[in-house]
Amino acid sequence: MKIIISPEAKQWFTEDMEAKSGEYIRFYARYGGSSSLHEGFSLGVTKEQPLDLAIELVEDGIHFYIEDRDIWYFDGHDLHVNVEPKRKELTYSYEK
């Protein structure tokens, strides 16, 4: 399992979340909503330091990661993060 961040998504994180080199961006399972993987759960994103880092991608010094306690959500799929061009919002897809 891995995290893939598109160039557009990386730019979104630096502009909209003001992410800088040395900071950590966490993807996590949250209760509510739905996804193609789990009904009743959706993917959240926040800036915070890791506690039990399981998967990590470092792009331009920014650490994108998933905690060990959230691995179940991805069910063995890679996380692809992109941006929907018209709404300028993050999109997520999951691929084995």
Side-chain angles (χ1 to χ4, degrees):
M1 172 182 177
K2 59 187 173 184
I3 301 169
I4 296 104
I5 306 283
S6 73
E8 296 81 9
K10 187 173 69 169
Q11 182 177 348
W12 186 95
F13 283 106
T14 58
E15 291 176 1
D16 289 38
M17 286 189 79
E18 299 178 353
K20 297 173 182 63
S21 180
E23 293 187 317
Y24 289 80
I25 304 292
R26 176 182 171 210
F27 297 102
Y28 64 97
R30 66 180 183 176
Y31 184 72
S34 67
S35 72
S36 59
L37 295 177
H38 300 284
E39 184 65 34
F41 290 89
S42 57
L43 192 63
V45 62
T46 187
K47 239 198 252 190
E48 67 181 56
Q49 293 289 320
L51 297 174
D52 191 12
L53 192 145
I55 306 292
E56 179 181 34
L57 169 71
V58 181
E59 290 276 338
D60 295 335
I62 301 169
H63 301 257
F64 298 94
Y65 74 98
I66 299 165
E67 292 273 347
D68 187 58
R69 67 180 177 251
D70 292 313
I71 290 295
W72 67 269
Y73 177 84
F74 299 94
D75 191 30
H77 293 76
D78 294 337
L79 169 63
H80 293 257
V81 184
N82 211 327
V83 174
E84 195 285 316
K86 290 184 181 177
R87 293 181 296 174
K88 306 280 187 211
E89 293 178 354
L90 291 178
T91 62
Y92 307 109
S93 61
Y94 310 95
E95 298 177 23
K96 280 212 176 193

